[in-house]
Amino acid sequence: MKRCREDIYQYLNFENGQIAIYDAVNPLASGRRSLAKEFAKQDIETLFIESWCDDERIIEENVRRVKISSPDYVGWSSEDAVKHYLTRISARIPQFQTMEEKDLNYIKMINAGERLIINNKSFGYLSNRIVFYLLNLHIKSRHTYFARAGVSLEADSYKADASLSEQGEDYAKKMTERLLQHRESEKQAMIDRGETNYELKPLTVWTSTRRRTVETAKYLHEKGYKVRQRSQMSQLNPGVCEKMSERRIREEYPEEVAKHELDPYHHRYPRAESYHDLAVRLEPIILELEREQNDLLIIAHESVLRVLYGYLMACNAADIPFLEFPRDEIIEIIPESYQNEARRIHIPNLPKEIIPGSPQDIKIPVPPSGVPSPMVGGIGSPKDGFSTPQSGLRTPREPERISQQHVDDVV
């Protein structure tokens, strides 16, 4: 435990860390006070979060969905694993003291968000944001789908809010047909497994306010699906680099190019946005995404999908600018107990020229991250042994073609 605290001190004091999660039971009031005093010696504010649940239905459902899939229960039958874990919970109860210390900061979440009790001794900005975040969480499972917007009539322009081209219309129709076909096949698979009364959750669609995303959702809207337009989901602003070739950007902004190649997540070209700026802009979307209980399809530009995917799949910040979402694939993200799972759904019969991700023809090596990103090599879930770098800095391993976002990411 001492080494764990030393790691936290190192991270917060010397690695620009803002929040560290000290994951432990901390069942006794005396132990919690002692822990808070230890952190206070390093000028670290402590916020305790307690999850209190006395609803037997929620407890058993959580054990079945989450706990028995842990490494502790490999090879166990589900019934034996559930029984054993419930016994472990009962064994800990006599030594547990619920949070009531008036001198400590704490949040007590009751029955998975049914109620929150807050003791605000010295909350700062981050503590209040954590409260707001927890208020938006739920434990109900739902699927999230990502799809690119169709090709527009002026695909190389950020400022022009152009309608879909003929190829874009064809893509929108085929994407809709493939997604609905996939959902029906998932429903049939559940019925074949014996869940005869299984029904799909309602599907909600989010787009930006740009015409190309709204029109990509047209066929779903015509079929009666609810479509919501979200202004925060507009693509990353390329600033002065709009419609500029890579060669011209290198000639006119050599210093900016050097900064971008060192830190493509945080760097912004003149009058442009960085990916960090975009992530901040998308914070309300992320909170509402957590609150959403229906299945959700997000139709957006690739820059937006990169940030949202990076959040859901715990990608390194440095990798987010390099995630690829080709148009012939819908990405399906399924919540799992210890890591989300991501799958590709292929959209057949699309013309080759509209499939590549934007940036087109750019091949950039991406270092390993907490998740195999949606790149040519495949898509997967977080792996053990990786962490997220704090700064987002990424040293190129070879000269890169610049501006994933600023040359081509207006489509």
Side-chain angles (χ1 to χ4, degrees):
M1 301 296 276
K2 182 180 178 182
R3 288 186 62 185
C4 181
R5 291 197 297 271
E6 288 173 352
D7 286 344
I8 290 175
Y9 302 153
Q10 175 69 24
Y11 168 69
L12 294 176
N13 294 330
F14 302 104
E15 297 179 16
N16 297 319
Q18 291 182 298
I19 298 176
I21 298 176
Y22 186 77
D23 187 11
V25 178
N26 299 317
L28 303 179
S30 58
R32 294 190 288 262
R33 286 194 172 96
S34 175
L35 191 62
K37 288 179 180 177
E38 284 296 318
F39 283 127
K41 291 176 183 177
Q42 299 289 329
D43 199 26
I44 296 171
E45 183 176 309
T46 306
L47 171 64
F48 291 91
I49 300 176
E50 176 184 328
S51 179
W52 173 274
C53 188
D54 56 10
D55 186 323
E56 297 297 331
R57 179 187 56 82
I58 293 177
I59 293 172
E60 182 164 345
E61 181 181 342
N62 186 54
V63 170
R64 288 186 180 279
R65 287 183 51 239
V66 179
K67 302 303 182 185
I68 65 174
S69 60
S70 76
D72 293 347
Y73 293 105
V74 173
W76 289 54
S77 71
S78 60
E79 293 303 320
D80 288 344
V82 168
K83 189 181 299 184
H84 183 266
Y85 195 86
L86 292 175
T87 302
R88 287 172 61 183
I89 293 175
S90 299
R92 287 185 176 183
I93 288 175
Q95 294 137 8
F96 179 75
Q97 297 173 348
T98 188
M99 292 240 27
E100 294 178 340
E101 301 90 313
K102 297 187 182 300
D103 54 325
L104 297 180
N105 290 314
Y106 67 80
I107 303 168
K108 188 186 296 188
M109 182 183 289
I110 299 173
N111 288 334
E114 185 180 278
R115 285 194 299 140
L116 255 66
I117 298 174
I118 299 165
N119 192 61
N120 182 353
K121 183 69 177 175
S122 58
F123 276 18
Y125 172 78
L126 286 176
S127 298
N128 282 291
R129 297 306 294 167
I130 290 170
V131 172
F132 187 49
Y133 178 77
L134 292 176
L135 285 168
N136 286 278
L137 292 183
H138 63 83
I139 59 173
K140 296 180 180 178
S141 179
R142 47 63 166 112
H143 292 203
T144 303
Y145 305 93
F146 289 164
R148 288 278 302 282
V151 180
S152 69
L153 291 168
E154 295 185 62
D156 62 341
S157 174
Y158 169 79
K159 294 176 183 176
D161 190 13
S163 294
L164 291 179
S165 65
E166 185 176 334
Q167 285 184 328
E169 289 276 356
D170 179 62
Y171 162 79
K173 186 174 182 180
K174 289 177 178 176
M175 183 274 293
T176 300
E177 291 172 350
R178 181 66 184 98
L179 175 64
L180 298 182
Q181 178 191 55
H182 173 76
R183 283 171 57 80
E184 284 301 318
S185 67
E186 286 193 328
K187 176 181 176 180
Q188 188 58 50
M190 296 300 292
I191 292 172
D192 292 344
R193 290 177 198 164
E195 299 191 32
T196 53
N197 296 321
Y198 181 82
E199 291 293 335
L200 291 168
K201 287 200 169 188
L203 177 68
T204 300
V205 183
W206 292 357
T207 74
S208 75
T209 53
R210 307 278 286 186
R211 285 183 184 174
R212 67 194 74 163
T213 62
V214 174
E215 292 177 5
T216 303
K218 177 179 71 173
Y219 294 101
L220 286 159
H221 179 68
E222 290 175 353
K223 291 178 180 292
Y225 291 94
K226 182 179 179 181
V227 178
R228 295 184 59 190
Q229 298 175 21
R230 313 303 304 270
S231 60
Q232 301 98 325
M233 283 171 46
S234 293
Q235 76 243 51
L236 188 147
N237 186 339
V240 297
C241 296
E242 182 181 8
K243 291 191 174 184
M244 291 178 65
S245 68
E246 181 178 333
R247 182 171 61 86
R248 185 179 165 195
I249 294 173
R250 288 189 180 277
E251 289 174 353
E252 295 190 18
Y253 300 101
E255 293 182 0
E256 295 295 334
V257 169
K259 293 176 185 177
H260 176 79
E261 290 180 338
L262 179 63
D263 188 0
Y265 179 78
H266 289 99
H267 174 261
R268 67 174 72 88
Y269 284 93
R271 295 192 293 281
E273 285 183 298
S274 68
Y275 271 92
H276 179 71
D277 296 331
L278 178 58
V280 172
R281 167 154 60 88
L282 288 171
E283 182 182 336
I285 298 297
I286 289 171
L287 288 170
E288 193 156 350
L289 190 156
E290 291 288 2
R291 187 166 61 240
E292 182 64 56
Q293 298 187 20
N294 291 336
D295 287 350
L296 178 64
L297 168 64
I298 295 177
I299 300 174
H301 313 85
E302 194 170 33
S303 57
V304 172
L305 297 184
R306 286 171 180 152
V307 171
L308 295 178
Y309 180 93
Y311 167 76
L312 289 174
M313 298 301 292
C315 294
N316 288 340
D319 290 352
I320 285 174
F322 305 97
L323 304 180
E324 294 181 8
F325 294 85
R327 275 198 182 85
D328 65 341
E329 291 174 343
I330 301 166
I331 305 301
E332 178 182 23
I333 298 178
I334 305 165
E336 294 291 347
S337 53
Y338 289 94
Q339 56 190 28
N340 288 343
E341 178 185 352
R343 301 174 185 168
R344 294 177 181 269
I345 305 166
H346 179 64
I347 306 172
N349 304 319
L350 291 177
K352 290 183 178 180
E353 60 268 23
I354 75 164
I355 289 175
S358 63
Q360 299 180 24
D361 80 4
I362 295 180
K363 305 297 181 185
I364 297 177
V366 179
S369 70
V371 56
S373 303
M375 298 180 294
V376 177
I379 193 165
S381 302
K383 293 183 177 179
D384 294 334
F386 294 101
S387 60
T388 302
Q390 300 314 306
S391 65
L393 295 179
R394 174 175 178 270
T395 304
R397 293 184 290 182
E398 62 182 62
E400 298 176 351
R401 302 206 43 198
I402 63 171
S403 26
Q404 290 262 83
Q405 67 270 43
H406 298 292
V407 175
D408 297 292
D409 196 20
V410 293
V411 273

